[in-house]
Amino acid sequence: TVQEHAPNPAAGDPGRPIGFGRLQRKEDPRFVRGKGHYLDDIVLPGMLHGAILRAPVAHARLVSIDTTEALAHPGVLAVITGKDLQALNLAWAPTLSADVQAVLVTDKVRFQGQEVAFVVAEDRYAARDALELIDVEYDMFPPVIDARRALDPGAPVIRDDIEGRTDNRIFDWEIGDAAETEAVFANADVVVAQEVVYPRVHPAPMETCGAVADFDPVDGRLTLYETTQAPHAHRTLYAIVAGIPEHKIRIVSPDIGGGFGNKVGIYPGYILAVVGSIVTGKPVKWVEDRSENLMSTSFARDYIMQGEIAATKEGKILAVRTNVLADHGAFNATAQPTKNPAGFFSIFTGSYDLKAAYCKVTGVYTNKAPGGVAYACSFRVTEAVYLVERMVDILARKLEMDPAELRLKNFIKPEQFPYANKTGWVYDSGNYEPAMRLSMQMAGYEDLRREQLEKRERGELMGIGVSFFTETVGAGPRKHFDIVGLGMADGAELRVHPTGKAVVRISVQSQGQGHETTFAQIVAEELGIPPESIDVVHGDTDQTPFGLGTYGSRSTPVSGGAVALVARKVRDKARFIAAAMLETRPEDLEWEKGRWFVKGDPSAGKTIAEIAFGAHGTVALPEGIDGNLDAEVTYDPPNLTFPFGAYICVVDVDAGTGHVKVRRFIAVDDCGTRINPMIIEGQVHGGLTDGVGMALMEIIAFDEEGNCLSGSFMDYLIPTAMEVPDWETGFTVTPSPHHPIGAKGIGESATVGSPPAIVNAIVDALTPYGVTHMDMPCTPARVWEAMQGRARPP
Ligand code: PCD
C-alpha cells in the first residue's frame, strides 16, 4: 500500500500522512466472487412471500375492496387490507418529517403506486397471481400534479385525513435577513434573476428494497432483515410504531447493493412483512421489483427555485436570494433532521463571501410518491449548489466575464476560515483558489477557450462548464440535529483480542462504500495493528453500538471520528498496562506507531499485541484498569465538515440533433485527510456518473392524470459506460480542524458538484443561439428546443 504523505498540522499531528494507503477493499473478494449476501439471498425455514397490490390511479376514494377470490387462490395464506391494519392500529405510520403515511390505503389513494393490499403466499408467484384477483372499486378525484397549482384556491385537498386541513401547504420556512438582503439588492449595479428547476429524480440503486420479517410468537422477538442504511434508528422506530419492546427487536442489514438515500426511510413493505409474519406465524419475505422501486419509494429533488443574484459591475457578488417551491408528494416523508424542513438548502450561499442572503421555501403536497430523500446529497445541498452555480454562471454571462475568473474573484479567502456565512453555517476549513487553479491547469483552460473560439467560427458547438461547490456533511452536532428526536451521534466499540487481532463494531452501515476497509485503516493508523488483522462489524443491531446510520456522507465525519477516538482510548489504556508490564510509570512511556517504549530506552517496550496479551494475562494491573484491551465511545462531532471541489466539464453539442457528448470532465476534490485514495476515486467516479445521468437523461415524469411515466429502466434512463468520459481526478488536502483525523466526507461530492458543471457547459455551448439557461434533463429533444428559442421547464 502506498501512502500519500504531507504535513498535516490541522489534524493535530504534524507527521500524520494525508492518505492512509490505497489498500485493496477487504470486502471485494466476496463481492467479485458472487459471495455477497444480499437480502434476497436470505432463505429461512418455512419462509412465505409477500406481494403488494398498488393503486392504478393517483387520486381516488377507496369505495370497496373484495379479497375473497384472492384468499381462495392456491398457496395464499393471508390477504391484508387497510381495515385489518386499522384494527391493529398500524394503518398509518409516522414519517421521518413529523407527518404520517398510510401503510395501506384506508380512505383515499393519494398517488399512483400507493399500497392498497398485501398478499402472503407460499411462493412469490402465487402471491403475485393473487393480486390480480383482488377486486377494488375506486371513486376518482382530480389529482394535483403540478406543484405550481397545489396552492391554487379550489385545488383538491390531498390530505383530508389531517383534521382541519383546507389546502396543500406543508410548511413555509425562511432563513437569512430579508430586509438586509433587499437593501443590498436595491443598491447593486447588476441584478439577474432566473427560475431554476431541479427535476424529480430517483436514486435507483442496483438492488431494490426488501425485508424478511421473522416474528417469534413464543418469546415475542422480532428479527427483521432489511435493506436499510440506518438499522439502529429503524429499531427504535419499530419499537415506537409497532409497540414491540426495543430489546426484543433485532434489525439486520446484510450486504446492500447501493443505498444512495433510497434505503433511509421505513417503507410500507417493511411494516407489511412484519404484520405478515405476526399474522401467519412464519417468516415473510417481501422484495419489490424495479417498477415498484421507481414508482413508490423515495424520489429526490423536485425543487422549483426562483434565483436572484446581485453584484457590482466589477463582478463582486453581493447577495443571493431565492424563493423555492418544494414538491414533497402525497406524504411529507422527507428524510432530514427535524429542525430543517428544507434540509441543508441554506448552504445556497455557496463558496462565496457574501454581504447578505435570504431564502424562503414553501413545501406542498401533490398526488405523487412521497419521499424527498437526500439522494447522494446531504439534505438538499445538491439543490443549493446547483442553484448558486447556475446563478453565478448567468451573472458571468451578463457581466461578460469568464466564469472561472468570476468565481476566483469571489471565493471566501483561506484566512476567513472558520467562516460564518449569512445563513448560520460555520465552514470549518477551506482553501478554494488552489483547487480552482489546479482544475484549470489540469483542463488546460486557456487552450480550451481558444479551441472553443475556433470551433465557434466553424459553427461547431463546444461548451466549457465550471462549477465550484462547498458541501455540509457529517450531521451532526446532536444539539442541532436529530431525526425524530434521536440525536445524530455514532458509537464505536473496539476489542483487541489477547493475540493482538482486533474487532471494531460501528453503528453505520455500508452500502458499497468500503467501510470494512477504511474503518480498519483508521484503527490501523492509530494503533499500528495491520488492517488485515482488524475486522469491522456493522449492520446488525445485536452486534453493534447505537448510532444514526449512513447517509449525508456522515460515516467518515461522525463514525470515522468515533473509531479514531475509540482506538486512542485503547492506546491510552495500553499505556497503563505496558507500564505495569515494564515495571515503570505510564508517564515515562512514549508512543511510536504500534508500541509503547521507555523514554530514552527504545529497546524496552511492548507492542500492542504484547500489551493485549498482558491485559488478559497474569501481570498485576493498576487500580481502575480492568483486564482487557477494549473500549467504547459515542462521538458527538462539534461541527459538520465542509468538503469542496472545483469541476470543469467540456461538452460537444450536435447542432443538428441536440445530442450532448460529455467529452472531458476534470474533478478536483478536497475531503481533508484521505483515508483510502483508491476508494475516494471510486466514490468520485460513481458520483460523476450520477451527475451525467441527472444532467442529461434522468427524470421521474408524470402525465396530467398522475400516471408515472418513468416506471422502468426503458423510460427512466440511467447512464452507462457509453455516456461517460474517462474521468480526470485531482485533489487538494485541507484537513478539517475539528475531526479527529482531519477527514471530511466524500461520498456525495461528485453528485453534488457535477450537474451544474455539465449544464453550465451545455448553456455555454449554446451561446451562439442566445440561450442563457436550460433546465435538466438536457435530452437531445430539449436541447434542440432550446436552440429554437423554446427552452421550457421539465
Ligand atoms: N473516505 C476516505 N477518506 C475520506 C472520506 C471518505 O477514504 N476523507 C471513504 C470512507 O471511509 C468511505 C467512503 O470513502 O469508505 C465514503 O465515505 P463518506 O463520505 O463518509 O460517506 P459514507 O457515509 O460512508 O457513505 C454515504 C454516501 C452516500 S450518503 C451516498 S448517497 C452514496 C455514497 O456514500 N451511496 C453509495 N457512495 C456510495 N457508494 C456505493 N458503492 N454505494 C452507495 O450506495 Mo446518501 O444521503 O444516502 O443519499
Side-chain angles (χ1 to χ4, degrees):
T1 72
V2 185
Q3 291 196 337
E4 294 171 357
H5 274 276
N8 190 351
D13 178 350
R16 177 180 288 284
I18 53 157
F20 293 179
R22 306 179 70 90
L23 187 69
Q24 301 241 318
R25 303 205 323 168
K26 294 172 66 161
E27 42 273 89
D28 280 351
R30 79 171 182 275
F31 290 148
V32 299
R33 289 172 205 185
K35 297 289 181 202
H37 203 63
Y38 297 90
L39 187 107
D40 205 28
D41 296 321
I42 295 168
V43 177
L44 301 180
M47 188 176 78
L48 304 173
H49 298 261
I52 294 176
L53 179 72
R54 294 181 181 275
V57 293
H59 203 190
R61 176 140 334 263
L62 181 68
V63 180
S64 67
I65 176 162
D66 183 354
T67 61
T68 356
E69 251 189 87
L71 255 175
H73 187 71
V76 170
L77 281 99
V79 181
I80 296 161
T81 65
K83 264 215 181 82
D84 302 323
L85 293 186
Q86 248 164 355
L88 299 165
N89 203 15
L90 281 176
W92 293 84
T95 69
L96 295 177
S97 282
D99 195 355
V100 288
Q101 171 171 357
V103 178
L104 289 177
V105 174
T106 51
D107 54 341
K108 198 169 86 169
V109 168
R110 293 181 171 86
F111 69 93
Q112 188 193 45
Q114 195 181 339
E115 297 77 5
V116 176
F118 187 62
V119 173
V120 184
E122 275 159 10
D123 61 57
R124 191 170 162 89
Y125 307 98
R128 292 227 146 192
D129 287 347
L131 293 182
E132 287 171 29
L133 304 174
I134 301 174
D135 201 13
V136 191
E137 199 189 322
Y138 296 106
D139 185 7
M140 309 281 280
F141 287 129
V144 180
I145 300 306
D146 183 353
R148 297 169 214 259
R149 301 269 74 88
L151 297 177
D152 282 358
V157 179
I158 299 167
R159 296 302 302 282
D160 50 357
D161 58 295
I162 305 171
E163 234 186 71
R165 270 237 155 248
T166 52
D167 64 15
N168 296 314
R169 187 184 305 269
I170 308 175
F171 63 83
D172 280 308
W173 176 82
E174 56 173 353
I175 191 139
D177 190 325
E180 186 185 42
T181 308
E182 174 52 36
V184 174
F185 267 87
N187 294 314
D189 304 335
V190 185
V191 170
V192 284
Q194 176 65 51
E195 178 179 283
V196 176
V197 179
Y198 209 132
R200 179 174 275 235
V201 294
H202 198 281
M206 203 172 349
E207 182 196 26
T208 60
C209 299
V212 178
D214 186 8
F215 183 75
D216 181 337
V218 178
D219 64 6
R221 263 189 86 83
L222 171 67
T223 306
L224 183 58
Y225 304 86
E226 262 192 347
T227 50
T228 174
Q229 301 178 222
H232 289 278
H234 275 211
R235 187 187 62 197
T236 306
L237 288 171
Y238 284 112
I240 294 168
V241 173
I244 302 170
E246 196 167 359
H247 66 298
K248 296 278 190 191
I249 303 177
R250 175 182 174 204
I251 308 281
V252 183
S253 195
D255 285 330
I256 292 190
F260 305 102
N262 191 230
K263 292 163 181 163
V264 172
I266 294 182
Y267 292 118
Y270 302 170
I271 301 175
L272 291 168
V274 174
V275 175
S277 180
I278 295 176
V279 168
T280 61
K282 300 219 169 124
V284 172
K285 177 188 278 184
W286 165 78
V287 179
E288 66 186 4
D289 66 21
R290 180 60 58 192
S291 294
E292 293 182 282
N293 180 258
L294 286 169
M295 289 176 66
S296 71
T297 64
S298 294
F299 71 93
R301 330 289 189 235
D302 222 340
Y303 262 32
I304 301 172
M305 306 176 274
Q306 309 299 332
E308 287 175 279
I309 189 164
T312 66
K313 53 183 185 309
E314 293 78 31
K316 172 81 191 89
I317 304 174
L318 302 172
V320 187
R321 178 162 64 185
T322 178
N323 198 328
V324 178
L325 186 60
D327 184 341
H328 282 221
F331 306 100
N332 187 18
T334 302
Q336 66 211 341
T338 308
K339 290 167 210 143
N340 302 65
F344 294 172
F345 185 75
S346 51
I347 194 81
F348 72 97
T349 54
S351 315
Y352 312 106
D353 187 18
L354 305 181
K355 281 195 163 20
Y358 172 74
C359 106
K360 179 167 176 258
V361 182
T362 299
V364 295
Y365 290 120
T366 58
N367 287 109
K368 299 181 195 165
V373 80
Y375 157 35
C377 167
S378 184
F379 314 115
R380 308 282 186 185
V381 63
T382 313
E383 290 90 323
V385 164
Y386 183 67
L387 174 74
V388 64
E389 289 308 289
R390 275 302 300 132
M391 293 313 297
V392 169
D393 250 51
I394 293 168
L395 177 66
R397 175 76 70 86
K398 172 94 178 182
L399 293 169
E400 292 174 359
M401 271 183 81
D402 179 90
E405 286 309 319
L406 179 61
R407 286 175 171 86
L408 281 163
K409 205 178 172 126
N410 285 285
F411 282 148
I412 301 162
K413 304 274 178 301
E415 60 276 12
Q416 288 176 281
F417 291 92
Y419 176 81
N421 86 336
K422 290 289 170 190
T423 55
W425 298 101
V426 179
Y427 298 20
D428 61 345
S429 64
N431 194 0
Y432 296 163
E433 184 172 337
M436 189 73 233
R437 298 249 181 242
L438 176 58
S439 70
M440 291 169 77
Q441 184 200 323
M442 286 170 66
Y445 192 74
E446 304 294 319
D447 291 344
L448 285 173
R449 286 289 175 206
R450 261 194 297 279
E451 181 189 344
Q452 180 184 38
L453 270 183
E454 287 164 23
K455 288 199 162 149
R456 258 185 204 160
E457 275 162 24
R458 296 203 297 269
E460 288 171 45
L461 303 178
M462 166 183 169
I464 305 155
V466 175
S467 83
F468 196 99
F469 63 91
T470 300
E471 284 186 279
T472 35
V473 309
R478 47 189 281 186
K479 63 173 185 291
H480 297 311
F481 305 111
D482 69 272
I483 289 194
V484 294
L486 298 168
M488 301 185 80
D490 275 283
E493 285 171 16
L494 177 61
R495 291 185 199 165
V496 186
H497 299 322
T499 56
K501 311 288 178 197
V503 175
V504 62
R505 296 163 192 276
I506 57 176
S507 53
V508 293
Q509 161 64 42
S510 169
Q511 306 108 45
Q513 296 88 341
H515 292 170
E516 288 165 39
T517 307
T518 48
F519 285 84
Q521 286 183 281
I522 297 175
V523 176
E525 187 61 29
E526 296 295 334
L527 289 182
I529 301 173
E532 53 277 15
S533 299
I534 302 159
D535 254 8
V536 177
V537 176
H538 61 120
D540 180 342
T541 56
D542 273 9
Q543 301 269 353
T544 54
F546 189 87
L548 271 248
T550 295
Y551 42 84
S553 302
R554 62 187 297 284
S555 302
T556 303
V558 188
S559 198
V563 167
L565 292 183
V566 84
R568 285 176 199 172
K569 218 167 163 179
V570 161
R571 189 165 76 200
D572 292 343
K573 182 172 182 182
R575 183 182 202 161
F576 285 92
I577 299 165
M581 294 169 79
L582 293 162
E583 297 180 347
T584 178
R585 296 179 312 164
E587 49 279 27
D588 294 336
L589 296 181
E590 206 173 305
W591 173 258
E592 70 178 354
K593 197 170 167 185
R595 75 195 271 274
W596 285 107
F597 65 92
V598 178
K599 279 178 197 159
D601 181 10
S603 66
K606 293 283 175 199
T607 65
I608 276 288
E610 289 164 340
I611 300 168
F613 208 94
H616 292 276
T618 54
V619 66
L621 298 173
E623 231 353 81
I625 300 288
D626 38 351
N628 59 47
L629 200 51
D630 305 344
E632 57 177 76
V633 301
T634 297
Y635 179 59
D636 177 22
N639 190 4
L640 292 101
T641 67
F642 295 75
F644 56 91
Y647 289 1
I648 297 177
C649 174
V650 182
V651 299
D652 296 308
V653 179
D654 184 320
T657 63
H659 178 267
V660 175
K661 180 173 169 51
V662 177
R663 191 209 310 167
R664 286 183 66 196
F665 201 105
I666 296 88
V668 170
D669 276 281
D670 191 320
C671 57
T673 304
R674 297 154 61 81
I675 301 163
N676 188 321
M678 179 197 70
I679 286 184
I680 291 174
E681 278 162 26
Q683 291 289 303
V684 171
H685 290 182
L688 294 174
T689 307
D690 277 344
V692 168
M694 289 182 292
L696 299 188
M697 61 194 86
E698 292 182 37
I699 181 169
I700 296 283
F702 296 84
D703 70 9
E704 282 166 13
E705 285 163 16
N707 295 306
C708 178
L709 304 176
S710 319
S712 84
F713 278 161
M714 287 184 344
D715 309 297
Y716 189 77
L717 304 183
I718 52 173
T720 70
M722 297 292 292
E723 286 84 24
V724 301
D726 278 338
W727 308 113
E728 300 167 56
T729 57
F731 65 91
T732 58
V733 175
T734 312
S736 166
H738 63 78
H739 186 272
I741 60 168
K744 303 181 178 186
I746 187 71
E748 304 166 301
S749 300
T751 319
V752 170
S754 56
I758 300 167
V759 175
N760 287 347
I762 295 168
V763 173
D764 184 49
L766 301 183
T767 306
Y769 291 81
V771 175
T772 53
H773 176 71
M774 80 166 286
D775 287 314
M776 300 184 285
C778 302
T779 59
R782 293 171 51 82
V783 170
W784 191 82
E785 278 176 356
M787 290 162 69
Q788 318 308 311
R790 290 191 276 126
R792 58 178 167 105

